[in-house]
Amino acid sequence: MSFADIFTVVVPVFLIIAVGYGTGRRALFDAGGAHTLRELTMQLALPAALLLSIWQTPRDVLVDQLPLVGLLAFGFLGVYAVVFGVLRLAARRSLRRSALFALACVQPQYAFMGTSILGGLFGAAEAAVPIAVAGILVNVVLDPVVLILLGLPERRAAAPASAEVRAPALATVGGGAEAPSVVTAATNVPAEHRPSVLSTVGHALREPFCWGPVLGLVLSVAGVGLPKVADASLSLLSGASSAAALLYVGVSVARIGRPRLTPGVWAVSLTSVVVLPLLVYGAGLAVASAADAAQAALIVAFPVSPVPLMFAARHGDPDDVGTIGSAVVLSLALSFVTLPLLIGLVG
């Protein structure tokens, strides 16, 4: 694929994000409007697209995706464990900060941007499976593990009595979440306000973004044919997924504001859009096919998800929020260059 073809896929995606950013800066979408875009994408349009694509995928093709599952598990879970260990043991960061920054390094916006870019490269049906696998690994395994780490006791100074206590942070799935508009951090959250592990996992499993692909997998494996009415209805609904998702990315970045370019921000951003995809691609070439390596690398190559930013606002301090929020913006800007280069590398 030539770079002209690559930019034909990538540039329209960033143009729509720029439109969303402009509407966010002009306040055409307030907090409620951004929330509506996110809910339209994550609760309706994207689950419909994944359900339809996986349902239409033959059983033998789904079975062939097992190496891809292992590569994505390595990218999300294995690399998270390594980064967390380095921050905690070598860099001597606090438990909370290590958990937050490691999550920011490995959780990308695969759902919001992946449907457009991967769909343009591989086709909608080919892109649906890795996006669905990533959603299950992140929302059912990675994010609950991070919440467990954030809930563990840690020695630190007592927070002021007026420190804000927020609602449970896991409010969305799929690598995108509404960025918090308030940066006051609750550093000592009472145990009764922390979501339990079971409730966190249960919440994720109730989300259409998780059960929709699973339902499509069950129907495909069972050999259930796709009725024409269901095909037409799901196709209409899924058609809204790409535009709404990209507009939301732009609006959410506009609400974060101007990034601060500290070494920590650069480290998180470059790990997310350069180091992580290269690690996954190298591992894929060593143990799987070039096609699986390419798909897995591109899934993890998207900018930092706003979900770690939500977690930071819930469990961190203002410095954590500023660093991760800046990484969300900087990684998005860097990905305009790194994504085409990675696509060219993986062929």
Side-chain angles (χ1 to χ4, degrees), residues 10 36 48 50 56 59 117 134 154 184 192 199 202 206 228 288 297 320:
V10 173
T36 299
L50 296 178
Q56 292 174 322
R59 279 177 290 188
I117 291 182
E154 184 173 18
T184 304
E192 60 269 20
S199 66
R206 288 194 300 270
K228 290 184 178 180
D320 298 333

Side-chain angles (χ1 to χ4, degrees), residues 129-187:
V129 175
I131 291 174
V133 171
I136 293 171
L137 289 172
V138 168
N139 299 308
V140 180
V141 182
L142 178 60
D143 284 347
V145 167
V146 174
L147 287 176
I148 293 171
L149 293 174
L150 293 174
L152 294 176
E154 184 173 18
R155 291 179 178 271
R156 55 189 164 200
S162 59
E164 181 179 348
V165 176
R166 292 178 175 270
L170 189 60
T172 188
V173 292
E178 186 172 354
S181 58
V182 182
V183 298
T184 304
T187 56

Side-chain angles (χ1 to χ4, degrees), residues 84-257:
F84 174 80
V86 169
L87 291 173
R88 183 76 174 126
L89 302 176
R92 301 291 182 181
R93 296 292 186 264
S94 67
L95 175 66
R96 181 202 68 236
R97 183 161 291 176
S98 299
L100 288 172
F101 285 9
L103 182 65
C105 288
V106 303
Q107 184 164 347
Q109 299 189 35
Y110 58 87
F112 287 125
M113 296 179 67
T115 52
S116 298
I117 291 182
L118 295 182
L121 294 173
F122 302 116
E126 288 288 333
V129 175
I131 291 174
V133 171
I136 293 171
L137 289 172
V138 168
N139 299 308
V140 180
V141 182
L142 178 60
D143 284 347
V145 167
V146 174
L147 287 176
I148 293 171
L149 293 174
L150 293 174
L152 294 176
E154 184 173 18
R155 291 179 178 271
R156 55 189 164 200
S162 59
E164 181 179 348
V165 176
R166 292 178 175 270
L170 189 60
T172 188
V173 292
E178 186 172 354
S181 58
V182 182
V183 298
T184 304
T187 56
N188 279 326
V189 181
E192 60 269 20
H193 293 287
R194 296 177 184 142
S196 68
V197 179
L198 290 178
S199 66
T200 300
V201 175
H203 176 87
L205 291 175
R206 288 194 300 270
E207 294 290 330
F209 184 78
C210 280
W211 63 255
V214 173
L215 176 60
L217 176 63
V218 171
L219 294 172
S220 175
V221 171
V224 178
L226 177 63
K228 290 184 178 180
V229 173
D231 187 2
S233 301
L234 290 172
S235 296
L236 285 174
L237 185 56
S238 63
S241 61
S242 295
L246 296 176
L247 286 173
Y248 171 74
V249 172
V251 172
S252 64
V253 168
R255 297 185 63 214
I256 293 173

Side-chain angles (χ1 to χ4, degrees), residues 68 71-72 75 108 118 122 130 272-285 290-302 339 342-343 345-346:
L68 178 64
L71 287 176
L72 289 176
L118 295 182
F122 302 116
S272 174
V273 299
V274 177
V275 177
L276 178 62
L278 291 179
L279 280 175
V280 172
Y281 185 60
L285 291 179
D292 289 331
Q295 285 191 331
L298 290 172
I299 279 286
V300 301
F302 294 106
L339 271 174
L342 181 64
I343 295 170
L345 172 65
V346 304

